[in-house]
Amino acid sequence: MTTRQVLVSLFAGVWVGALLVAEWNPVGATALTMDWLVEVVRSPFDTKFIILILFMGAGAAFIYRSGGILALERAIGDRVSTARESQILTWLIGVFIFFDSYTSTVVTGNATRELSQENYSSREMHAYALDSTTSPVTTFGPVSNWIGFQVSMIIAGFEATRVTAQELGVTAFGLFLQSIPWNIYCFMAFFMVGFISITQRFFGPMLDAEWRARSTGATIKDDATPLSDVSADVGEPSEKNPSLVNFFAPILVLLVTGLVSMWYLGGGYEPGVDIATAFQETDVALGLLYGAFAFMLTGFVGSLAYRTMDLEEASETIIDGFKTMVIALAIIVLAWAIGLAAENVGTAQYIVDVMVGSGVPGGFLPLIVFVAAMFVAFTTGTSWGTMAILTPLAIPLSLELVGPSVLPVVVAMLFGGAIWGDHSSPISDTTVMSSIFAGSDHIDHVSTQIPFAATAAGVTVVVLVLYGLGLRTPFVALPLAFVLTAAAVLALNKLDARRKGLPEVMPEAEAIQSGEVDVERVENGTADERISSYSHLAPVPVAAVVVVTGYLALVFVFAMLGG
C-alpha cells in the first residue's frame, strides 16, 4: 500500500518470510529467498507455465505485427458507423482474445480505438469496455495463461493444507472448473459491458462522459492527459499483405490444440475414460504449453506464408513477444514464492486457528473471502498477487471451517474479488494498460469504471448473503444475479439521468449534429428524457449476442467437465 510497487512489495513479503524462518538473520534470509525463488522456478508445473507465458506473448505479437489486426480493422471499419456499434464491437472482439488479458487489451484496443473516436464514443467508455471484458474472459478461458496460474494457486492451497487431490476427491484443475459457475462478479462485469453498450443506458461519471462526447465531439476532457501508446513494444503492424487468416488462424489453433492436448494428456483416448475424467486428470500446464507453442508457430508460419515479414523480422517478433511478458513473469515467480513463504512460516494454520476460534458462520466464509480479496487487490493493484497471497490461506480455512463442499464457491469468490480490485485500483497494471490503449486519461478511466464495477460487486454481495442463508446452487444464483444486475443498471440509469437532466438512452452524435436532439433543451432540463431509441435487431448487436451466447455455452460445457 505504501510503495504502490507490486514487484518490490512481493519481494519484500518473500524476504520477510525468509527473515522469520532464518531467525532474524538478514544474510540468511536473503540466501533463503534465493533458494525459494529457485525452488518455485524448478517445479515442473511452474517451469512449463513460464515457457507457455513466453509462447503466448510471441503468438500475440504475431497477430498484431503480421497485419492480422490491421486486416480486422479494414474488414469491420465500414460496418461500424455509430458509437454504440463501436462499443459493442470492442466487447465482441474481447471475447475472441480469451487467452491473455494483456494481449486482449493490446489487440482489442488497437483494433477499435480509432473507430470509437471517429464515432464519438468517449475514451472513458472505450477503456471501460477493454478493462471489464479482458480479465473476466481470460479467467474463464477455456484456454488461457490465467487458467494455468489459477490452477497453480489452487495447488499451493492444497500444499498449504497438507491434503492431496485423492483425499479431496477432486484435482486442482477439477476444482477450478467447478468454481466457474460461482464466479458471479466476473460474469456480471462481463455482462454489464454488453448490456450497457447495447442499451446505451449509462450512469455515474460515464453518463457525463458519453454526453460530452456525443454533444461536443470531445472524446476526452479538455484538461485530460491521455496515456501514451506502447505498441512500440512489438513494432507497427505490417502493411504488406494483411490477412484475416493471420488473426483468426492462430486463435483457432490455440483453442483446438490446447483442448485436445488436455484431453489426450488426461487419458481421454483410453477406453472407459470419459471427457470429464480426462480433463480432471490432465496435466493442464503441459496441455496449455502445447497449445501456446502451436499458437506461436501458426503466427510464425502465417507471417511467412503471406509474406508480411521476412525470416529475420519473424524471428525478431518472437523475441519482442517474449519481452512483453517480462513483467507478468516477474509477478508470477514472486507470487509463487510468497505462497511458499507463507507455507514455511505457518500463515495458513495461524489464520485457520484464529477464524475457527472466532465462530464465523461457515456459510458466510465466501463473502468474507470476497471482501478480503477486493481489499488486497485494490490496495496492491494486482489480481494475480492477491490470488497468490490469499489462496494458500483460504483453502485450508475453508476445509477446517466448512469442508470440501464450500471450496468451489470460495475459490470463485477469491478470484472474482481479486479481479474487482484489479478493475477498481488506479495502480492496477491492466487498468493502466486499458487507459493506454484507449488513449484515455487514467484517472478519468478509473473514476468512470468504479461505479460499474461496484454495481457488479454489489450484486455479488447480495448473492453471497443468500448463499449464507442457504442458497447452494449456482444454477439459481447465477440467473438471479443477471436479473439483479440488469435491474440495477436500469434503475441507476433512470435515477442519474433524471438527476442530471440528461437522456436516459444516449443519442448518437449524428442525431445531435443533425438537430434531431436539441442540446440546449437537454442541458436546460426541458427535453424529453426518452429522446432516443435503438433497434436491438441491428446486425452488430445481434452478431454480438450470438457470439457471446456461443462463448458462454462453451464456458459452461467446459465447467461441467469438473463434475
Side-chain angles (χ1 to χ4, degrees):
M1 292 170 64
T2 301
T3 66
R4 298 292 192 265
Q5 297 295 320
V6 64
L7 293 177
V8 173
S9 302
L10 283 172
F11 183 85
V14 177
W15 188 82
V16 168
L19 190 65
L20 292 171
V21 174
E23 299 179 348
W24 309 102
N25 180 337
V27 176
T30 303
L32 185 57
T33 299
M34 298 303 108
D35 289 342
W36 285 347
L37 290 172
V38 171
E39 184 177 342
V40 296
V41 170
R42 289 179 60 188
S43 161
F45 184 100
D46 296 351
T47 303
K48 285 178 277 192
F49 187 71
I50 289 171
I51 297 172
L52 84 86
I53 284 280
L54 294 172
F55 287 167
M56 286 282 195
F62 277 118
I63 286 180
Y64 180 73
R65 197 167 174 180
S66 69
I69 192 66
L70 196 60
L72 184 66
E73 287 179 22
R74 293 174 179 175
I76 62 182
D78 295 337
R79 296 174 173 82
V80 175
S81 58
T82 66
R84 178 192 186 221
E85 290 176 344
S86 66
Q87 292 164 7
I88 296 171
L89 183 67
T90 303
W91 184 56
L92 181 60
I93 294 177
V95 172
F96 285 102
I97 317 297
F98 50 76
F99 45 85
D100 175 63
S101 61
Y102 287 178
T103 301
S104 183
T105 304
V106 174
V107 172
T108 308
N110 278 308
T112 57
R113 184 176 60 246
E114 290 184 14
L115 284 173
S116 295
Q117 294 181 24
E118 288 172 3
N119 292 312
Y120 303 107
S121 173
S122 69
R123 299 194 193 184
E124 293 95 323
M125 182 60 191
H126 189 211
Y128 160 68
L130 287 175
D131 207 357
S132 288
T133 299
T134 54
S135 295
V137 167
T138 49
T139 298
F140 300 138
V143 178
S144 75
N145 53 17
W146 278 64
I147 291 177
F149 178 74
Q150 290 168 147
V151 171
S152 77
M153 289 298 96
I154 295 172
I155 291 172
F158 284 1
E159 292 171 348
T161 239
R162 304 283 197 268
V163 296
T164 64
Q166 289 75 20
E167 291 171 334
L168 287 175
V170 63
T171 64
F173 186 48
L175 179 56
F176 165 75
L177 294 175
Q178 291 176 12
S179 76
I180 289 176
W182 279 109
N183 199 334
I184 307 292
Y185 173 75
C186 285
F187 278 115
M188 295 310 104
F190 174 69
F191 168 69
M192 279 184 64
V193 176
F195 186 74
I196 290 171
S197 298
I198 291 172
T199 62
Q200 290 293 282
R201 290 181 174 271
F202 304 94
F203 60 89
M206 193 70 80
L207 177 63
D208 303 293
E210 282 297 293
W211 176 250
R212 180 201 70 230
R214 310 292 174 90
S215 61
T216 69
T219 60
I220 191 170
K221 289 195 302 190
D222 292 337
D223 59 348
T225 304
L227 295 185
S228 60
D229 191 337
V230 296
S231 57
D233 285 348
V234 294
E236 293 300 321
S238 172
E239 295 268 3
K240 293 179 182 176
N241 187 25
S243 169
L244 284 174
V245 172
N246 282 334
F247 180 84
F248 287 107
I251 297 172
L252 182 61
V253 169
L254 168 67
L255 180 63
V256 173
T257 305
L259 291 176
V260 171
S261 295
M262 286 191 286
W263 168 81
Y264 184 86
L265 292 169
Y269 61 93
E270 297 177 359
V273 178
D274 58 30
I275 294 177
T277 302
F279 272 87
Q280 290 190 51
E281 298 296 330
T282 192
D283 183 339
V284 62
L286 188 57
L288 291 175
L289 176 59
Y290 291 158
F293 177 74
F295 177 50
M296 177 184 69
L297 183 62
T298 304
F300 181 84
V301 172
S303 299
L304 297 178
Y306 281 87
R307 299 185 179 181
T308 61
M309 302 182 195
D310 57 29
L311 185 59
E312 181 180 356
E313 289 172 322
S315 300
E316 288 174 356
T317 299
I318 294 175
I319 302 302
D320 290 338
F322 287 174
K323 290 177 183 177
T324 64
M325 293 296 172
V326 169
I327 299 300
L329 282 174
I331 292 174
I332 290 164
V333 171
L334 288 171
W336 288 331
I338 203 169
L340 183 58
E343 179 186 345
N344 276 274
V345 301
T347 307
Q349 190 57 50
Y350 174 78
I351 296 294
V352 168
D353 292 342
V354 170
M355 292 295 288
V356 171
S358 68
V360 174
F364 289 97
L365 181 60
L367 177 58
I368 294 170
V369 170
F370 181 65
V371 173
M374 291 168 69
F375 173 76
V376 174
F378 183 82
T379 54
T380 62
T382 168
S383 54
W384 281 21
T386 299
M387 294 172 193
I389 293 166
L390 293 183
T391 310
L393 309 180
I395 288 180
L397 180 61
S398 301
L399 290 171
E400 185 72 27
L401 204 59
V402 182
S405 63
V406 79
L407 284 179
V409 191
V410 166
V411 167
M413 291 308 151
L414 196 161
F415 293 164
I419 291 170
W420 177 90
D422 212 21
H423 283 164
S424 303
S425 175
I427 59 172
S428 161
D429 50 0
T430 50
T431 301
V432 171
M433 287 186 67
S434 296
S435 298
I436 289 171
F437 288 99
S440 172
D441 180 280
H442 183 53
I443 299 304
D444 288 344
H445 165 44
V446 173
S447 63
T448 50
Q449 178 165 255
I450 283 178
F452 292 168
T455 301
V459 169
T460 304
V461 168
V462 170
V463 172
L464 288 175
V465 170
L466 294 175
Y467 178 87
L469 296 174
L471 178 60
R472 294 292 191 266
T473 170
F475 302 108
V476 174
L478 193 55
L480 175 63
F482 279 114
V483 172
L484 291 175
T485 301
V489 169
L490 294 175
L492 290 168
N493 162 256
K494 285 180 176 292
L495 289 171
D496 204 34
R498 192 167 301 169
R499 182 175 66 86
K500 295 174 178 175
L502 293 177
E504 289 179 12
V505 179
M506 189 61 60
E508 292 294 353
E510 185 178 346
I512 296 173
Q513 293 166 1
S514 66
E516 291 178 37
V517 176
D518 191 327
V519 174
E520 187 174 343
R521 287 190 63 197
V522 170
E523 295 182 343
N524 289 336
T526 57
D528 183 356
E529 294 167 349
R530 297 171 177 266
I531 57 178
S532 301
S533 61
Y534 292 91
S535 169
H536 297 311
L537 297 179
V540 173
V542 168
V545 170
V546 170
V547 170
V548 169
T549 300
Y551 166 73
L552 291 177
L554 175 63
V555 167
F556 277 99
V557 169
F558 185 55
M560 291 305 100
L561 298 176

